[in-house]
């Protein structure tokens, strides 16, 4: 049985996977060049849920990325060496529609798959084939479904994964507090949420009972609350272990390591986040997904540049790294003192590994 930490590394982005990309690490250390591995794309901001823990509740809801720009972006990133595409939010990406070009989420999957990208999808849709065409399933490496709809009136038997291979499907549940009968201040629907209860956990376990060949169920705390992960494990850990009959459930084990790595940030060139400007449209390459936790919206302070300039951004950042030792800066920090420039950050481990690779250690051969 794997530990929670091992499952966190396997099923989340928490640093160790970088060690599988020796070509990228070699390029950093010996060629002073950063290359992207995984592109995180938020193709649309519309969503059919109103999570009280939504980290981008203040996003521009009507924004979507034109399909032709998505194609050009994928071509540019492939030129730079990108290997995978994670289709995520913003909103629920399965709702993507470009009415002008008459394209939908299946077209994004198809074009990315034909370019050779590995593809993962994060969604909250309980009925996959309401949106996904089974003809594109062979392009998809995994889908992770957030189970918020269990708090919005859906029941375990309402979840219908269609013909998608169950062994490629993971689930995610965010443990969250009650909103005490009133809506979240940034809610767009005015809906109050009752919060996680023992009954909530039983519903999650029932879905696993109905689908015992699922890859995993990831339990995590509300990212808007500082240091909530250890509190969540203390409160719910025993209950989860008791109900986990199939060894599928794990708690995302990040503990208090939720602050920036102070000496450097590099993850933006390895795992860039593509999303709109704060007011919509004008899609940007953001340095990370964590930056939204500060104000629950996108901030141009953390943009590396326009999506129209992908190759230029990487060239400029690599030249800056070769000249100064840091590839980009935020809020004038000159690539240092990131704890002062950023709020909560879930890429501490990733940046620590990248910093070690990017900076020569004294007596490095005495490993």
């Amino acid at each position: 049985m794997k530990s929670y930490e091992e499952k966190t590394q396997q099923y989340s982005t928490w640093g160790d996977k970088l060690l599988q990309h020796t070509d990228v690490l070699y390029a950093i250390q010996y060629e002073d060049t950063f290359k992207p591995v995984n592109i995180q794309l938020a193709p649309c901001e519309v969503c059919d849920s109103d999570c009280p823990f939504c980290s981008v509740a203040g996003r521009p809801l009507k924004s979507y990325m034109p399909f032709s720009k998505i194609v050009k972006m994928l071509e540019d990133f492939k030129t730079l060496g990108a290997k995978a595409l994670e289709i995520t939010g913003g909103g629920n990406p399965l709702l993507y529609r470009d009415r002008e070009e008459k394209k939908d989420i299946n077209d994004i999957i198809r074009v990315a798959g034909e370019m050779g990208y590995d593809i993962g999808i994060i969604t909250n849709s309980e009925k996959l084939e309401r949106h996904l065409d089974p003809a594109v399933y062979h392009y998809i490496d995994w889908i992770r479904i957030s189970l918020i709809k269990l708090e919005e009136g859906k029941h375990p038997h309402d979840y219908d994964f269609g013909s998608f291979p169950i062994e490629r499907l993971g689930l995610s549940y965010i443990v969250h507090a009650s909103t005490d009968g009133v809506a979240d201040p940034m809610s767009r629907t005015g809906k109050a949420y009752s919060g996680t209860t023992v009954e909530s956990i039983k519903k999650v376990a029932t879905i696993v009972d109905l689908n015992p060949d699922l890859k995993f169920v990831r339990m995590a705390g509300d990212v808007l609350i500082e240091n909530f992960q250890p509190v969540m494990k203390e409160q719910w850990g025993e209950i989860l272990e008791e109900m986990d009959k199939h060894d599928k459930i794990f708690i995302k084990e990040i503990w208090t390591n939720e602050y920036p790595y102070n000496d450097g940030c590099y993850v933006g060139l390895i795992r860039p986040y593509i999303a709109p400007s704060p007011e919509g449209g004008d899609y940007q390459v953001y340095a990370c997904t964590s930056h939204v936790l500060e104000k629950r919206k996108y901030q141009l302070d953390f943009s590396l540049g326009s999506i129209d300039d992908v190759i230029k951004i990487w060239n400029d950042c690599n030249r800056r790294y070769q000249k100064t030792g840091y590839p980009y800066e935020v809020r004038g920090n000159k690539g240092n003192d990131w704890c002062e420039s950023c709020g909560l950050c879930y890429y501490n481990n990733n940046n620590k590994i990248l910093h070690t690779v990017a900076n020569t250690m004294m007596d490095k051969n005495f490993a």
Side-chain angles (χ1 to χ4, degrees):
M1 182 183 299
K2 292 184 177 180
S3 68
Y4 286 162
E5 182 178 353
E6 289 173 313
K7 290 181 178 178
T8 298
Q9 291 285 8
Q10 183 170 355
Y11 298 125
S12 297
T13 301
W14 196 232
D16 281 9
K17 286 181 181 177
L18 289 170
L19 302 177
Q20 302 286 302
H21 298 278
T22 54
D23 56 326
V24 173
L25 302 180
Y26 182 95
I28 296 170
Q29 190 166 83
Y30 293 102
E31 299 170 1
D32 293 335
T33 299
F34 286 83
K35 299 178 181 179
V37 175
N38 176 24
I39 313 309
Q40 298 176 96
L41 169 65
C44 64
E45 303 304 304
V46 63
C47 191
D48 45 354
S49 288
D50 190 23
C51 306
F53 47 80
C54 180
S55 60
V56 284
R59 67 193 185 277
L61 294 170
K62 295 182 179 181
S63 190
Y64 68 90
M65 190 170 175
F67 181 74
S68 57
K69 283 186 174 286
I70 292 176
V71 174
K72 178 62 165 58
M73 176 205 72
L74 292 173
E75 291 172 344
D76 287 348
F77 275 121
K78 203 64 179 172
T79 298
L80 292 171
K83 304 174 183 181
L85 174 68
E86 186 176 307
I87 306 174
T88 183
N92 177 0
L94 297 196
L95 301 181
Y96 175 81
R97 300 286 187 279
D98 182 335
R99 289 181 171 82
E100 286 75 18
E101 299 187 41
K102 296 181 172 54
K103 301 293 184 181
D104 63 15
I105 185 63
N106 296 289
D107 295 293
I108 297 177
I109 295 167
R110 190 173 292 109
V111 73
E114 290 173 353
M115 288 184 191
Y117 281 94
D118 292 345
I119 298 172
I121 300 174
I122 299 175
T123 179
N124 63 334
S125 292
E126 83 284 5
K127 294 184 184 297
L128 290 181
E129 290 177 10
R130 181 186 296 156
H131 309 290
L132 291 177
D133 180 353
V136 302
Y137 284 173
H138 68 286
Y139 290 123
I140 304 172
D141 292 84
W142 54 264
I143 297 176
R144 191 180 81 205
I145 299 176
S146 172
L147 298 177
I148 185 60
K149 287 182 183 281
L150 290 176
E151 313 298 331
E152 298 174 335
K154 298 298 181 182
H155 301 281
H157 288 81
D158 292 327
Y159 281 79
D160 180 3
F161 309 128
S163 59
F164 188 78
I166 199 70
E167 67 276 7
R168 287 191 256 152
L169 189 71
L171 304 177
S172 176
Y173 181 86
I174 304 298
V175 174
H176 58 288
S178 168
T179 58
D180 295 324
V182 298
D184 175 79
M186 298 186 74
S187 169
R188 68 180 190 280
T189 65
K191 178 180 174 58
Y193 283 75
S194 58
T196 300
T197 63
V198 173
E199 186 61 30
S200 305
I201 305 301
K202 286 181 179 178
K203 290 179 181 179
V204 173
T206 298
I207 294 178
V208 181
D209 288 340
L210 294 170
N211 304 275
D213 293 325
L214 284 163
K215 286 181 72 172
F216 63 86
V217 181
R218 189 196 72 169
M219 310 293 291
D222 184 344
V223 295
L224 301 177
I225 301 176
E226 195 170 358
N227 292 328
F228 191 65
Q229 287 295 121
V231 174
M232 185 265 289
K233 184 179 182 182
E234 181 178 350
Q235 183 176 1
W236 296 101
E238 290 186 11
I239 295 172
L240 289 170
E241 289 182 6
E242 181 181 331
M243 293 187 182
D244 185 18
K245 300 175 183 177
H246 303 279
D247 189 28
K248 298 292 183 179
I249 299 175
F250 74 97
I251 295 174
K252 187 176 181 182
E253 195 160 277
I254 61 175
W255 308 137
T256 57
N257 200 2
E258 56 188 26
Y259 305 102
Y261 181 70
N262 195 51
D263 293 338
C265 179
Y266 313 89
V267 73
L269 296 183
I270 304 296
R271 184 182 167 82
Y273 181 39
I274 312 305
S277 67
E279 305 306 320
D282 190 23
Y283 273 70
Q284 302 290 308
V285 180
Y286 290 102
C288 73
T289 54
S290 293
H291 85 272
V292 299
L293 299 176
E294 186 176 84
K295 295 183 178 180
R296 300 179 72 182
K297 63 185 295 184
Y298 306 119
Q299 297 188 69
L300 292 178
D301 286 357
F302 296 87
S303 171
L304 302 180
S306 168
I307 196 61
D308 295 328
D309 299 318
V310 166
I311 292 177
K312 181 179 185 298
I313 290 170
W314 260 254
N315 288 339
D316 288 349
C317 285
N318 282 321
R319 278 194 292 268
R320 183 182 295 113
Y321 169 65
Q322 292 157 14
K323 182 178 180 180
T324 67
Y326 63 90
Y328 54 82
E329 62 180 329
V330 165
R331 295 171 173 169
N333 67 2
K334 303 298 183 184
N336 290 296
D337 298 323
W338 287 88
C339 289
E340 294 184 10
S341 304
C342 305
L344 296 177
C345 175
Y346 294 98
Y347 294 107
N348 183 302
N349 285 356
N350 308 61
N351 281 320
K352 183 177 181 180
I353 290 172
L354 292 168
H355 184 77
T356 302
V357 172
N359 292 271
T360 301
M361 298 179 70
M362 184 180 296
D363 299 329
K364 69 176 184 179
N365 291 335
F366 292 89

